[in-house]
Amino acid sequence: MIKQAIIPLAGLGTRLLPLTSVFAKELLPINGKAGIEYILDECIEAGIKEVIFIISQKKIMIKKYFYNDKFYKDIIKRKNDLRILNEYKKILKYKKMIKFVFQDKPLGTGDAVLKTKNIIKDDFFLMLLPDDLIVKKNCSKTMIAIHKKFNSSVMASMKVDKKEVSRWGIYDIKKKINNENFIIKSVVEKPSVKQAPSRNAVIGRYILPKTIFSKLSKLKPGKGGEIHITDAIQLLIDDNDKFIGHNFSGKYLDCGTMNGYINSTLEIAKI
Ligand code: UTP
């Protein structure tokens, strides 16, 4: 079973400036609830027992959000407010399952993942990118079931517009398993329209093998000078590791851009 999840949170969030000049985007409210709480709820419902947050000193407010006990205790003593008490209980529930590791410099998602090397216990773990909300159906839960069935790594995916391929990791299909699941032949980070092997984009949910750490530790910076998780995945595929692309059926909400963030609130309010 997959029991551990990791969440990279140490990026700069430049697409949401100026908000992110002082604020962690993952704490911004989406329909009144911090974005990161949707991700944590997805993990809990999928049976995850431990979540590792990769943060930086610039994002220390994320840790404070879960470690503000004195503040809550004082308020609860002064005000007899059941809502506040319930909010505090919820924070305590999350806090119990979160560990923090630090990435000092934002050298890329691959470098962020490498920081969790000494904490991952089992052969496989889940990774969620918090900019990517998937609602209406628990994508992580479905992917864990697929992993169990095929004993392989899994990445969430969806078809994107040809014009948009350079925003994503794009994969090519080796073999179709069924209408939702495909064995991946290769994956490339943010290709140009010309270079893209398909329109199959990787979305921020991954079930990765522990063996990825040895690939990451040898990886040189790739596109844009960053160490990409996609490049380590390609090295594993080169070694004949099985990766399945899963076309998820929930609704995808992109919270990493201003338009996407605004739209996420509108969409979640409709549910
Ligand atoms: P992105 O590169 O898509 O987003 O990283 P970003 O850096 O947060 O924001 P922009 O692109 O400047 O607007 C995807 C995820 O990986 C994390 C980010 O926090 C985000 O959740 N990340 C990225 C790290 O933890 N470390 C890094 O070095 C890079």
Side-chain angles (χ1 to χ4, degrees):
M1 267 308 276
I2 308 261
K3 295 283 173 219
Q4 289 179 298
I6 70 169
I7 307 181
L9 296 151
L12 297 176
T14 53
R15 288 167 298 162
L16 282 180
L17 281 169
L19 295 177
T20 42
S21 64
V22 293
F23 207 79
K25 63 179 170 183
E26 298 80 6
L27 296 180
L28 289 170
I30 297 171
N31 198 32
K33 172 166 148 181
I36 192 66
E37 293 188 20
Y38 290 93
I39 301 285
L40 286 168
D41 290 345
E42 179 177 333
C43 288
I44 293 168
E45 205 196 299
I48 294 296
K49 301 295 177 213
E50 182 177 79
V51 182
I52 299 141
F53 278 16
I54 304 137
I55 60 167
S56 63
Q57 281 305 330
K58 280 202 182 91
K59 308 285 282 281
I60 201 73
M61 72 159 64
I62 296 176
K63 187 166 182 187
K64 283 196 186 139
Y65 187 74
F66 297 96
Y67 278 77
N68 224 349
D69 300 74
K70 188 178 169 333
F71 172 82
Y72 275 106
K73 281 177 187 163
D74 287 351
I75 296 270
I76 288 164
K77 220 189 274 172
R78 276 199 284 122
K79 287 187 164 195
N80 195 11
D81 187 327
L82 189 60
R83 189 193 76 86
I84 298 176
L85 185 64
N86 286 335
E87 288 296 330
Y88 182 45
K89 280 187 186 160
K90 185 182 70 178
I91 294 288
L92 284 178
K93 182 182 79 174
Y94 291 141
K95 178 187 171 181
K96 253 199 198 150
M97 64 188 299
I98 306 172
K99 270 197 178 138
F100 293 86
V101 296
F102 284 79
Q103 184 195 25
D104 298 330
K105 284 187 197 146
L107 300 177
T109 47
D111 181 67
V113 174
L114 192 53
K115 303 295 177 201
T116 66
K117 185 180 166 193
N118 296 327
I119 303 182
I120 296 298
K121 297 185 200 114
D122 298 330
D123 289 345
F124 288 88
F125 60 96
L126 174 69
M127 172 165 84
L128 304 95
L129 299 184
D131 281 356
D132 293 347
L133 279 195
I134 301 173
V135 294
K136 290 191 176 165
K137 178 123 203 237
N138 191 319
C139 181
S140 295
K141 197 173 173 180
T142 310
M143 285 171 60
I144 289 171
I146 295 166
H147 158 75
K148 219 169 145 187
K149 185 167 176 192
F150 296 99
N151 191 33
S152 74
S153 302
V154 187
M155 300 197 278
S157 73
M158 67 177 189
K159 278 237 188 301
V160 295
D161 276 355
K162 199 165 179 209
K163 295 186 298 250
E164 298 234 307
V165 284
S166 58
R167 279 187 57 196
W168 315 90
I170 300 288
Y171 73 84
D172 203 5
I173 295 171
K174 182 168 165 186
K175 193 175 157 210
K176 177 175 168 177
I177 300 172
N178 52 39
N179 284 342
E180 288 91 41
N181 299 299
F182 310 90
I183 296 176
I184 296 177
K185 186 160 113 189
S186 63
V187 61
V188 55
E189 183 67 21
K190 300 186 176 73
S192 63
V193 173
K194 237 177 154 182
Q195 285 167 330
S198 74
R199 297 194 292 121
N200 302 312
V202 178
I203 304 301
R205 302 289 181 278
Y206 305 69
I207 291 176
L208 297 170
K210 207 180 180 176
T211 48
I212 199 151
F213 294 118
S214 71
K215 300 294 181 202
L216 284 170
S217 58
K218 287 177 214 140
L219 217 56
K220 295 261 158 24
K223 202 152 270 174
E226 290 192 15
I227 297 173
H228 296 288
I229 192 70
T230 321
D231 295 339
I233 291 170
Q234 182 58 52
L235 291 178
L236 288 172
I237 293 172
D238 291 342
D239 283 355
N240 286 323
D241 254 36
K242 187 154 117 190
F243 273 78
I244 292 178
H246 167 66
N247 274 355
F248 60 87
S249 53
K251 185 166 179 57
Y252 169 68
L253 302 171
D254 173 12
C255 303
T257 64
M258 194 54 82
N259 280 343
Y261 168 66
I262 293 165
N263 184 49
S264 300
T265 287
L266 299 175
E267 286 294 336
I268 289 185
K270 280 192 222 156
I271 298 173

